[in-house]
Amino acid sequence: MKFDHPAWAALLSTSLAHASPSKPQQSSCSTDTTPNDFNSTCASLASRLEVENGIVYFSEFVAAGTNLSLPDNNATCVQPYMLVTADICRVSLHISTTDHSGFNMEAWLPSNWTGRYLSTGNGGLNGCIKYQDLAYTTAAGFAAAGTNNGHNGTSGEPLYNNADIVEDFAYRAIYTGTVIGKQITKDFYGKSHDKSYYFGCSTGGRQGFKAAQDFSEEFDGIVAGAPAISFNNLTSWSGSFFRATGTNTSDTFVTVPQWAIVHADVLKQCDLLDGYADGILEYPPLCNYDPSGLQCTGSSNASTCLSAKQVQTVKTVLSPLYNDKGDLVYPRLQPGAEILAAVILLGGTPFPYTTDWLRYAVYNDTTWSPANLNSTDFDNAARIDPGGIQTWKGDLSEAKKNSKILHWHGAMDAIISSANSPRYYEHVRETMGLSSDELDEFYRFFTVSGTGHCGGGDGAHVIGQASDEVTTYDPKENILMAIVDWVENGNAPETLIGTKYVNDTQSLGVKFQRAHCKYPKHNQYKGEGDANLIESWECVDA
Ligand SMILES: *[C@@H]1O[C@H](CO)[C@@H](O)[C@H](O)[C@H]1NC(C)=O
Ligand SMILES: *[C@@H]1O[C@H](CO)[C@@H](O)[C@H](O)[C@H]1NC(C)=O
Ligand SMILES: *[C@@H]1O[C@H](CO)[C@@H](O)[C@H](O)[C@H]1NC(C)=O
Ligand SMILES: *[C@@H]1O[C@H](CO)[C@@H](O)[C@H](O)[C@H]1NC(C)=O
Ligand SMILES: *[C@@H]1O[C@H](CO)[C@@H](O)[C@H](O)[C@H]1NC(C)=O
Ligand SMILES: *[C@@H]1O[C@H](CO)[C@@H](O)[C@H](O)[C@H]1NC(C)=O
Ligand SMILES: *[C@@H]1O[C@H](CO)[C@@H](O)[C@H](O)[C@H]1NC(C)=O
Ligand SMILES: *[C@@H]1O[C@H](CO)[C@@H](O)[C@H](O)[C@H]1NC(C)=O
Ligand SMILES: *[C@@H]1O[C@H](CO)[C@@H](O)[C@H](O)[C@H]1NC(C)=O
Ligand SMILES: *[C@@H]1O[C@H](CO)[C@@H](O)[C@H](O)[C@H]1NC(C)=O
Ligand SMILES: *[C@@H]1O[C@H](CO)[C@@H](O)[C@H](O)[C@H]1NC(C)=O
C-alpha cells in the first residue's frame, strides 16, 4: 500500500509568505501547519511506508534545535551527535541489494519543504551516513537522503571477498538510495519533488560524477567537490608517498617544520605568478617549483636546509606518478599544499585507504603489504577496477540532456590533487568534442584557490559547501543555492564568491573575499587596489 494523504498534501500547498531574506528561498510547497500535524504524520509514516527490499526501522519527528544523539552510528564515523536546525521527519531504514549486501539509509524531511529533493554522498572508504549534509540541506528546505554506502565505519575491511558490497560502495547504494529517497519524499508529502539534486565532496564528489556518467536522469543538478575520480589511480598515488618519504626515521623523510620551509620556498618562487604575494597560489598549474635551492651546502644550518635525499623526496612528492612503462597514473600534488599534506600523505605511514582498497577490493588478500606498493599494483588496480569505481568516463552526453554539473576543487587540497580535476574536464571536452563554451551549457568547473580538501585553507574557502562553510544563501556565494539557481532560473554561475574570515571565525569579520574563476580562467591581480576586494582581481585565460 502506498501512502496517500490528501489532507496533508493540501496543507503543503499553503505558501510560506514570510520567508526571511537571509534564508534560502522558499517556494510554494512549504507549510505553516502546526507542529503537531507534521509530528503525527511523521510518527505514523514508518507503518505506512512500503519500500522494495526494505525494512523501515522508524520515523520520528525531530524538532529544530535538537542535539540529535546517533548511538547507532559507528564510532569510527566520529559523529555521535548532530545538531538539527529545522523541524524534520527523520526516517531510518535498511535496504537489501543482494542476498549478502545492503545499506542503511535515512531520509530527513523538513516541515519547510521547498519541493526540492537532494541526495548526499560519503567520504573516504566509509561507511558513514553524512549527517552534516542532511542537517545542512534540510535546513535549506530540501528533502534529503543519505546512505552508509553499504557498510558501517571507515575501514574497507567489509569489502573483503564480497563483490556485492564493493558494488554498493562504487555506485549502487547512491543510485538505489536516491530512487528510494524520492519515493519516501513522495509518500510523505503526498506529491513528487519538483527538482532533484546531488551534493557531495571527495568520495561524495566521485559519487556525483558516477551519477553524471551513468544515471544522470536522477538529478537535475549535481554539485561534485574535490572528486575522487580515477579512483583506483588515486589510491595508488595516495599510497605512493610512503615509498617516497619512508618512515619518520628514514633519511628520505622530510619533517613537518621542513615542509614549512619548503612551503615558504614555493611561495618565494610562485606566489607572485598571480600578481600578488598573499601566501596563496591562485592557479598552481603555473608553478614549476624547484626545491634544489634548499639543499644544504657545507656551511648551512641543517634546520633551515634539506639533505640531497630530502630534496629528492620533495621533487618526487611534487611530480606526477607514472608506472614503469611511463604511463601517467595520477598528476602531481599541486604545490602550495605542503604544510597540510605533511601530516597526512607525507606523515611517514602507509595511507590507510590505499592499504584497504588494495587488500580488500583489488586483491582479496589480507596480507598484501603497502610497503611493497609498485607499478604492478598501479596497473592491477586500474585494470581490475573493482565495482567499476574508476568513474572516468568522458562521455557525458546523457548528463548534457538531463543535468547541470557544478564541479569544484580546492587548489590547496592535500588529499586529492586539484590537478586531477582539470584533467577530467579536458577528458570530457576531448571525448565529446565540445569547446569550453559548449560545455558551459551543462558542466562548469571552478578551481577554488587557497582551499584544502573540501574546505579550510589559507584562501577564501567559504563557498557554502558545508554547514560550517556558509556565509549566506545568496547563490553567488553559496554553491548549494548556485546549482538551484542554475537549474531553476537558468542563472549559470560565472564565478563562485568565497570568503575568508579573520582567524576563520565568522564573528571576527571578513578578512577578504575572492570571486573564484570558472575554468579555464584563473584569477590575476589587476596590479592596483585593495587585494582583499573581489574587484581588484580579474579572471584571465591561462
Ligand atoms: C520555516 O522557514 C521560515 C523562513 O525561513 C522560518 O522563519 C521558520 O522558523 C521555519 N520553520 C521551521 C519549523 O523550521
Ligand atoms: C512529537 O511526537 C512525539 C512522539 O512521537 C512526542 O514525544 C513529542 O512530544 C511530540 N512533539 C510535538 C511538538 O508535538
Ligand atoms: C550535543 O551533545 C553532546 C553531548 O552532550 C555535546 O558534547 C555536544 O557539544 C552537543 N552539541 C551541540 C551542538 O550542542
Ligand atoms: C550498520 O549499523 C546499523 C545501525 O546499527 C545496523 O542496522 C546495520 O545492520 C549495520 N550494517 C552492517 C552491514 O553491519
Ligand atoms: C565500526 O567500524 C569499524 C571500522 O570500520 C569496524 O571494525 C567495527 O566492527 C564497526 N562496529 C560495528 C558495531 O559495526
Ligand atoms: C574477491 O572475492 C569475491 C568473493 O569471492 C569475488 O566475487 C571477487 O571477484 C574477488 N575480487 C577479485 C578482484 O578477485
Ligand atoms: C615517528 O613514528 C612513530 C610511529 O609511527 C611515532 O610513534 C613517533 O611519534 C613518530 N615520531 C615523530 C618525531 O613524529
Ligand atoms: C641553526 O638554526 C637554529 C634555528 O634558527 C638555531 O636554533 C641553531 O642554533 C642553529 N645552529 C647552528 C649550528 O647554527
Ligand atoms: C611488485 O611487487 C610484487 C610483489 O609484492 C612482485 O610480484 C612484482 O613483480 C613487483 N613488480 C614490480 C614491477 O616490481
Ligand atoms: C591509471 O593508471 C594506468 C597505469 O597504471 C594508466 O594506464 C591509466 O591510463 C590511468 N587511468 C587514468 C584515468 O588516469
Ligand atoms: C587570531 O589568532 C591568533 C593566533 O591564534 C591570535 O594571536 C590573534 O589574537 C587572533 N586574532 C583575533 C582577532 O582574535
Side-chain angles (χ1 to χ4, degrees):
M1 183 197 79
K2 285 283 171 65
F3 171 47
D4 186 21
H5 199 304
W8 182 230
L11 285 171
L12 285 164
S13 64
T14 314
S15 79
L16 190 95
H18 308 291
S20 107
S22 65
K23 281 280 172 64
Q25 63 228 65
Q26 306 284 345
S27 73
S28 60
C29 295
S30 299
T31 172
D32 57 2
T33 184
T34 66
N36 248 339
D37 295 331
F38 186 81
N39 192 345
S40 57
T41 308
C42 175
S44 59
L45 178 65
S47 59
R48 291 192 309 268
L49 263 185
E50 285 203 357
V51 178
E52 203 180 343
N53 301 317
I55 298 169
V56 182
Y57 291 139
F58 61 81
S59 55
E60 65 179 12
F61 171 73
V62 181
T66 303
N67 184 358
L68 185 65
S69 175
L70 304 167
D72 289 337
N73 197 23
N74 185 287
T76 63
C77 295
V78 204
Q79 187 80 81
Y81 297 94
M82 192 68 235
L83 182 65
V84 178
T85 56
D87 281 354
I88 59 155
C89 179
R90 177 188 179 210
V91 188
S92 166
L93 61 164
H94 181 272
I95 309 296
S96 296
T97 51
T98 68
D99 288 350
H100 44 266
S101 63
F103 58 87
N104 275 77
M105 75 176 275
E106 293 197 16
W108 286 23
L109 308 158
S111 63
N112 263 353
W113 190 42
T114 53
R116 299 180 184 124
Y117 170 80
L118 182 142
S119 282
T120 60
N122 303 86
L125 280 188
N126 75 41
C128 302
I129 291 174
K130 192 131 195 219
Y131 288 101
Q132 303 99 308
D133 284 354
L134 290 177
Y136 176 39
T137 57
T138 47
F142 296 80
T147 85
N148 72 346
N149 225 13
H151 64 281
N152 287 327
T154 54
S155 164
E157 201 174 350
L159 311 182
Y160 177 54
N161 269 339
N162 193 324
D164 288 314
I165 294 184
V166 172
E167 285 193 43
D168 282 351
F169 181 76
Y171 71 90
R172 191 163 46 200
I174 184 67
Y175 172 74
T176 311
T178 297
V179 171
I180 292 169
K182 290 177 177 177
Q183 183 207 324
I184 295 171
T185 300
K186 183 178 179 200
D187 286 356
F188 181 64
Y189 295 107
K191 72 183 274 289
S192 292
H193 65 272
D194 299 322
K195 295 291 176 192
S196 165
Y197 296 91
Y198 175 82
F199 189 71
C201 194
S202 194
T203 276
R206 184 193 65 76
Q207 291 166 306
F209 274 112
K210 193 53 147 175
Q213 292 167 18
D214 290 350
F215 44 94
S216 62
E217 71 280 0
E218 291 298 327
F219 299 110
D220 299 295
I222 293 172
V223 176
I229 48 180
S230 185
F231 184 87
N232 299 290
N233 294 30
L234 165 65
T235 52
S236 293
W237 176 78
S238 321
S240 73
F241 293 105
F242 181 57
R243 301 196 309 180
T245 63
T247 64
N248 63 12
T249 56
S250 162
D251 60 2
T252 47
F253 187 76
V254 178
T255 65
V256 172
Q258 286 175 321
W259 281 115
I261 293 167
V262 174
H263 182 63
D265 197 42
V266 166
L267 294 182
K268 198 169 128 197
Q269 291 183 33
C270 295
D271 197 1
L272 268 173
L273 294 174
D274 57 28
Y276 195 80
D278 55 358
I280 297 160
L281 307 185
E282 281 299 324
Y283 196 59
L286 299 175
C287 178
N288 295 311
Y289 173 63
D290 179 2
S292 306
L294 289 178
Q295 190 167 324
C296 301
T297 55
S299 59
S300 61
N301 183 332
S303 70
T304 58
C305 61
L306 272 58
S307 71
K309 283 187 172 172
Q310 290 174 319
V311 167
Q312 186 52 50
T313 300
V314 173
K315 284 186 178 162
T316 304
V317 160
L318 295 175
S319 299
L321 180 66
Y322 297 95
N323 68 5
D324 289 352
K325 284 176 284 187
D327 306 320
L328 178 70
V329 175
Y330 200 79
R332 69 173 182 172
L333 175 67
Q334 78 282 301
E338 300 76 28
I339 295 178
L340 294 176
V343 291
I344 310 167
L345 294 176
L346 311 177
T349 54
F351 192 64
Y353 298 151
T354 303
T355 308
D356 283 12
W357 185 249
L358 271 289
R359 273 186 186 165
Y360 304 126
V362 174
Y363 289 134
N364 280 333
D365 176 2
T366 56
T367 66
W368 181 82
S369 166
N372 304 324
L373 179 77
N374 65 26
S375 176
T376 308
D377 299 312
F378 307 159
D379 294 350
N380 283 341
R383 178 178 50 80
I384 295 170
D385 186 19
I389 201 164
Q390 192 77 310
T391 318
W392 194 256
K393 290 178 191 164
D395 181 1
L396 298 182
S397 320
E398 286 302 309
K400 184 170 186 283
K401 288 183 227 154
N402 295 326
S403 318
K404 306 290 183 213
I405 304 167
L406 262 184
H407 172 185
W408 72 276
H409 207 137
M412 233 180 125
D413 193 321
I415 295 181
I416 296 179
S417 178
S418 66
N420 198 46
S421 274
R423 199 168 77 92
Y424 180 70
Y425 180 97
E426 291 299 335
H427 175 52
V428 172
R429 203 175 56 73
E430 282 161 25
T431 305
M432 297 183 73
L434 297 176
S435 67
S436 278
D437 284 347
E438 288 166 330
L439 278 185
D440 272 359
E441 191 192 306
F442 75 102
Y443 171 28
R444 292 177 177 226
F445 165 56
F446 296 83
T447 297
V448 180
S449 62
T451 299
H453 186 59
C454 297
D458 296 341
H461 60 78
V462 176
I463 58 167
Q465 71 271 45
S467 53
D468 55 358
E469 297 263 356
V470 178
T471 295
T472 148
Y473 289 95
D474 179 343
K476 289 188 165 37
E477 304 186 30
N478 183 302
I479 194 165
L480 174 63
M481 300 321 290
I483 191 73
V484 168
D485 201 29
W486 189 6
V487 166
E488 297 180 16
N489 306 317
N491 296 325
E494 281 301 315
T495 62
L496 296 177
I497 294 179
T499 303
K500 176 72 175 180
Y501 290 101
V502 176
N503 280 8
D504 283 327
T505 306
Q506 202 151 349
S507 59
L508 296 179
V510 172
K511 190 172 175 195
F512 60 92
Q513 284 195 311
R514 201 144 299 166
H516 301 292
C517 303
K518 175 166 61 69
Y519 181 86
K521 290 187 187 295
H522 65 88
N523 258 314
Q524 193 75 21
Y525 180 58
K526 286 178 178 168
E528 55 182 16
D530 183 349
N532 289 330
L533 301 178
I534 287 168
E535 49 270 28
S536 302
W537 296 77
E538 61 189 331
C539 294
V540 301
D541 286 312

